[in-house]
Amino acid sequence: MENKKQPLSSRQYLVPFVLITSLFFMWGFARAILDVLNKHFQNELDITITQSALIQVTTYLGYFLMAIPAGLFINRLGYRRGVVMGLLLFGVGSLLFIPCSSAGTFYAYLAALFVIGCGLVFLETSANPYVTELGPAETATSRLNFSQSFNGVGSMFATLGVGSFLFRSGGESGNVVIPYTVMGALVLVIAIVFSRVQLPEIKHADDADSANGSGNLRRLWHNGWFVFGLSALLCYEIAEISINSYFVNFVTGMGWMDDRMASMLITAALATFMVGRFIGSWIMRHVAAERLLLFCALGTVVCVALVFLDLGRLSMVALLCNYLFESIMFPTIFALALRGLGGLTKSASSILMMTPVGGCGFLLMGFIADTTGNMTLPFIIPLAGFSVVLVYIWRFCCRKDERK
């Protein structure tokens, strides 16, 4: 159990903590736009769900290919430069939507989204582990959950604002270039700010021993519990991103509502997600993070099973409840996987940030929906993913009990 008397962050790290936490809003916004972009491109470019899934595949392929290079960059040059590099790539990728519009092809947009994905992995590889170290070790998991809550705020604003802009009443559609241009300009301004501020680098006693990048990777791959945590995080990402990406298609395909109402409903779901993280961060000040994660993992398996069974409106309620249970999963698994790694933290973080490639699981969900015509059958994918998370945290809790 974490000590509730410990502060969330140390006073000496308060300013860096606030600055880094603000970044969580930015990438939450960028990733959530994809969830309405799928349906927008289906409507505007007359493509299938499977084809639109390339939006997720391309963006999260950037995570997979750039995660280790980002880790090596941050290991060598520090967290602040990693943040600035991420913001620059993020901003440039967003502004590339302007020439992509002139090109008039779906694949041009995919190239811009790949650049954005490369930028986001630099941001997340820097910010996630950095937040865990800006204060007492006892509150690391709670601190990361608090910062990740602003990821949910960004996601909610994206689906509400951009969704309302793209899916207007009367069947009209907004120009997708406009929100990306505004976002790109704002991100580049933030990059300038971060290039001017000083962020303290956190030192570990074994940093000198962990200076060899390839040696770090070998040591991590021989750490069984890190590999298990990595697998659980990948399965979580497959489940969470696939559900978000499929959400609008699912609720409209079931005949429950139109595109505009669906974008509002997913905003409500993401608001539930955001609230869940704030509540989870507070609960973890009193309850061990792994115990709360075990309860939430069980909740996600039950909720997705109810969706898979196609129980009408009960399935829709279960889908919304799933957002509450899954809300703490990423930061909690991430922090548990990094626990006790010391000087290996930056290298371990880069490997963990390869896991958003699990968003490619939406491609399989789209393929199942397109080929079978069954809108609930694709939920077998996230059901399997959350089941792996449940097994991981159950074994983690058993292992901790055995060591007492």
Side-chain angles (χ1 to χ4, degrees):
M1 181 179 295
E2 294 187 357
N3 187 346
K4 62 183 180 181
K5 294 182 180 180
Q6 291 281 8
L8 195 63
S9 179
S10 303
R11 180 172 297 180
Q12 68 187 104
Y13 295 138
L14 182 60
V15 173
F17 179 59
V18 171
L19 287 172
I20 292 295
T21 297
S22 69
L23 296 176
F24 285 76
F25 178 94
M26 296 304 301
W27 79 67
F29 191 95
R31 287 174 61 163
I33 288 180
L34 304 180
D35 302 330
V36 293
L37 203 58
N38 277 288
K39 188 63 175 174
H40 172 75
F41 279 143
Q42 289 169 35
N43 296 343
E44 294 299 303
L45 303 178
D46 193 26
I47 58 177
T48 65
I49 298 176
T50 306
Q51 289 174 309
S52 74
L54 291 175
I55 292 171
Q56 268 72 19
V57 171
T58 304
T59 303
Y60 294 119
L61 187 63
Y63 276 81
F64 183 75
L65 295 178
M66 290 300 294
I68 291 180
L72 294 173
F73 180 96
I74 295 163
N75 228 19
R76 184 176 181 83
L77 298 176
Y79 288 117
R80 184 179 65 84
R81 288 187 176 90
V83 167
V84 173
M85 175 61 75
L87 289 168
L88 289 174
L89 290 171
F90 182 3
V92 169
S94 299
L95 294 178
L96 283 176
F97 265 63
I98 299 173
C100 287
S101 177
S102 301
T105 172
F106 175 58
Y107 298 101
Y109 289 111
L110 296 182
L113 289 169
F114 177 79
V115 176
I116 292 174
C118 292
L120 296 182
V121 73
F122 269 89
L123 285 182
E124 296 197 49
T125 304
S126 301
N128 282 306
Y130 193 47
V131 164
T132 66
E133 306 208 56
L134 292 176
E138 293 83 359
T139 55
T141 307
S142 178
R143 188 163 51 253
L144 184 54
N145 268 277
F146 178 82
S147 293
Q148 283 276 354
S149 300
F150 290 89
N151 180 281
V153 176
S155 299
M156 185 179 65
F157 271 82
T159 54
L160 178 62
V162 180
S164 298
F165 177 76
L166 295 180
F167 304 130
R168 299 178 183 178
S169 57
E172 296 182 5
S173 180
N175 188 343
V176 72
V177 174
I178 295 175
Y180 272 94
T181 301
V182 172
M183 182 169 65
L186 177 61
V187 166
L188 290 178
V189 170
I190 296 173
I192 294 173
V193 172
F194 270 88
S195 69
R196 296 289 187 268
V197 300
Q198 292 298 319
L199 296 177
E201 286 295 323
I202 310 299
K203 303 296 182 181
H204 299 279
D206 59 348
D207 277 345
D209 297 333
S210 303
N212 183 347
S214 60
N216 291 351
L217 298 181
R218 283 195 297 271
R219 291 168 63 186
L220 288 168
W221 286 120
H222 284 89
N223 184 321
W225 279 103
F226 171 76
V227 174
F228 200 179
L230 172 66
S231 302
L233 195 61
L234 174 62
C235 289
Y236 162 75
E237 292 280 32
I238 291 172
E240 186 254 339
I241 297 173
S242 296
I243 289 175
N244 285 346
S245 304
Y246 188 59
F247 190 101
V248 176
N249 288 288
F250 175 62
V251 297
T252 55
M254 295 297 286
W256 293 337
M257 60 195 69
D258 60 17
D259 293 345
R260 182 177 175 82
M261 283 300 299
S263 70
M264 293 182 179
L265 184 62
I266 194 174
T267 299
L270 291 170
T272 303
F273 184 87
M274 174 194 68
V275 170
R277 277 193 172 161
F278 278 117
I279 293 173
S281 176
W282 178 79
I283 292 176
M284 286 178 197
R285 305 294 300 279
H286 308 275
V287 176
E290 53 268 28
R291 298 293 181 185
L292 181 59
L293 180 57
L294 179 61
F295 171 78
C296 290
L298 181 60
T300 58
V301 170
V302 171
C303 287
V304 177
L306 290 174
V307 178
F308 179 72
L309 292 173
D310 192 8
L311 301 176
R313 292 305 173 98
L314 178 60
S315 291
M316 186 170 73
V317 173
L319 181 60
L320 293 175
C321 289
N322 177 71
Y323 279 80
L324 181 65
F325 287 115
E326 74 176 15
S327 61
I328 67 153
M329 284 189 169
F330 179 88
T332 306
I333 298 171
F334 193 95
L336 291 178
L338 292 180
R339 185 176 287 181
L341 291 182
L344 293 173
T345 298
K346 291 177 182 176
S347 296
S349 175
S350 69
I351 296 175
L352 291 174
M353 284 318 306
M354 296 174 73
T355 57
V357 75
C360 297
F362 174 53
L363 182 65
L364 184 54
M365 288 188 76
F367 177 76
I368 294 172
D370 284 335
T371 55
T372 66
N374 186 320
M375 298 300 291
T376 58
L377 186 60
F379 279 92
I380 191 68
I381 305 300
L383 180 59
F386 286 132
S387 296
V388 172
V389 174
L390 178 59
V391 172
Y392 162 73
I393 194 58
W394 178 72
R395 286 295 304 134
F396 189 98
C397 291
C398 290
R399 168 177 172 261
K400 188 173 181 180
D401 289 342
E402 290 165 2
R403 292 171 60 183
K404 288 182 179 179

